[in-house]
Amino acid sequence: MKSPRYLHFRHLGPVTLVLLALGPGSLGAQTPEHEGEIEGVVRDAASGAPLAGALVSVLGARQAATTHGDGSFHIAGIGPGMHTVRVERLGYRTQTLEVSTDSGGTVVVIELEASPMDISGLVITGALTERSAAEALRPVNVLSGQDLQRRLQGTVAATLASEPGVAVTSMGPATARPVIRGLSGDRVLMLEDGSRTGDLSSTGSDHASALNPASARRIEVVRGPAAILYGSNALGGVINVIRDEVPSDVPHHPTGAVILQGQTVTDALGGSAHMRFGLTEHVPVRIEVGGRTSGDLSTPIGPLENTGVDTWNLGAGTAWVEDDGYLGGAVRAYRNHYGIPGGFVGGHEEGVRIEMERVSTRVDGRLEREWGPFRSLEIDGAYTWYRHLEIEPPNIIGTFFKLQTTSADALARHEAWGPFSNGAVGARASLEDFNFAGGLSTPDTRRITMAGYVFEEIDLDPLRIEAGLRYDWARTNPAEEDPSSSIGVIRDRTFHAASGSIGLLYDLGGGFGVGTSLARAFRTPDVNELYSEGPHLAAYAFEVGNPSLENEVGTGLDAFVRVERDRVSAELAGFRNDISGFIYPSETGDTSNTNLPVYQFRGDDAVLTGFEGSLDWSVVGHLTFHGTLSYVKGTREDGDVPLPLIPPLQSRVGLEYEHPRWFVRGETSLAAEQDRLDEFETTTPGYAVFDLSAGLRLTVGGRLHVISVNAENLTDREYRNHLSRVKEIMPEAGRGLSVTYRVVF
């Protein structure tokens, strides 16, 4: 066995990072046993006290460890070489350091400095390699750690509502769906560990997402049409919920977290727990369980009835891990039973109950081995079964949806090759089977898609360039063709197109950077937009498809400036998105024979322009100012008519006092009046809503315990969200209190 290495560094850039030399016995029995291992201790720089619950990760290796009560950690199996190690802990400034393991194991002591601000989180979505958000070539938000716990809600969309460029549309708490830069539906690609969710949340305002944010390690939002690695249809952006369901390394000790939450405004109680442990030296296991129950939403003028939610989820994953890669699988079951409120034209007075189930299985693997210019191969296969029942009073199945999705992805990466610093080529294929019943006359349909793509980076320090090209082919096959259908000729449709993007990031030095990107993306009409015909009672609409719709083709331009300094982190971005054949359900003003408003899908050219910005400024001492600002203007080019359901000018400002052991934060959410309206919309007044939150971090029994308390809408303000389908009958949530407890081990 080779002797461990003891390193000593000081003052890396503007951040003080100390790695102290240790004697061979300083860490007791934790001396490394093999090459390619890193172990050590994380401590408070001022007091020298060990820090439990810090996350120590090796970038690009998908390997990490959580520090124990004595601050110790141990990461094995990363191989010899130079590695970038990142250390994150609530209340402290994140540190990044380079560590070599070429001469045997490495022992380090890392001293973290208390700080009211943290540097940008890591990003893997839409990028070839893991990097900080400040190095991303497109506007990116990362929600993790303390911010994720404080913002945590029952849905991903509600959890992300405070992020710049993000708004929420809903028909009650359970159905909250994200809107990015005025775009929603499947123009916003929802991912779980980089894979599509396989639900139908994008096809109806009453359809909830089958994603549970409670167990997420972090959530990433990439704004703008730049999803070459995942799909061409993401004209608005990508949301990736990351929880590492398939473990890729074997932890030395069991690690995980338990989260409990209560909320008064919905009488909600929920919890989630997950744990990773090593079954053998080659077999890690990850298990997860969670659930949440809530009642009707309380508003300043009374309850929004029939909006209760009951969800549960179970998950398990394992893998076989070797030094040069891993192969594993995971299974997840998710159930969500929720209500849609009544009171709309054509709707039941008591509302509609929805029962939704999803079961997904996946196989995930990575092999680190050189084949010519390529250094690694990643594979991902998935099968998802999804069912959705809409039950009318007293107990009648009004609408039935079922979707089965089978998909396969492959990605080969290379490092330096010719002019490229790194890059990848990949392929994807999927098969989707849609089934409909109940009041809908939409035919059962099969959709087949195939795609191939290439994505490359060029590093010309201080300039970095990213470019990608993708080609997609899709075919939809209804079970029966109908040339005499009242909505048009129902027939097989084939769609294909190329999409691409190019982005530039220039480092001006001193923490300043500027960037721009240009992207062309396309979206095929979904099955509902092509073939729907009949009442969709939970959405209180009679939906009429259009079998002759063509591709949506979007050309998006982004430009941004970033500042990432010791006391200031800021980004300001402007964008323009021209979409040819923009598809949307247009209210005709007619009602069906069942007294439902008729919505006809149509395609018009549209343009969306706007800007968004964020600022985190350490004003003095432990006091920090936070602010965001977002605006989008959507217009149909034919007649300069506003697009429907576009969010107004929005802002969020707050002051936070951050101490390593506690924090207090006051925040105001602001929205302007929305009076740019489609023909059948109504004006929504502006509002200001005040929130207050506080938190406590304790190390008890060698474990990090975090308690957050949020008081929301302190003044019980009556206000309405322009994107809410229930705004005509009820306002948003009233005054409420939520408490979240998390223990990390």
Side-chain angles (χ1 to χ4, degrees), residues 380-402:
D380 190 344
Y383 169 77
T384 301
W385 177 91
Y386 173 89
R387 186 181 67 176
H388 176 114
L389 302 176
E390 299 181 358
I391 302 172
E392 309 167 33
N395 197 29
I396 302 169
I397 296 178
T399 310
F400 170 90
F401 300 89
K402 187 169 78 170

Side-chain angles (χ1 to χ4, degrees), residues 171-175 206 305-310 336-341 351-354:
M171 293 185 72
T175 61
D206 59 309
E305 295 182 353
N306 197 45
T307 52
V309 183
D310 288 293
N336 188 0
H337 291 185
Y338 60 94
I340 298 295
V352 173
R353 191 173 81 252
I354 291 182

Side-chain angles (χ1 to χ4, degrees), residues 285-356:
V285 175
R286 182 187 186 276
I287 56 175
E288 177 186 335
V289 61
R292 180 183 174 95
T293 182
S294 65
D296 292 340
L297 178 71
S298 176
T299 80
I301 63 173
L304 181 59
E305 295 182 353
N306 197 45
T307 52
V309 183
D310 288 293
T311 68
W312 63 261
N313 63 279
L314 297 169
T318 188
W320 181 270
V321 178
E322 294 282 358
D323 291 341
D324 58 353
Y326 70 95
L327 179 64
V331 61
R332 173 174 291 272
Y334 180 84
R335 188 193 74 174
N336 188 0
H337 291 185
Y338 60 94
I340 298 295
F344 296 91
V345 174
H348 294 283
E349 265 319 301
E350 302 89 348
V352 173
R353 191 173 81 252
I354 291 182
E355 297 181 358
M356 179 254 279

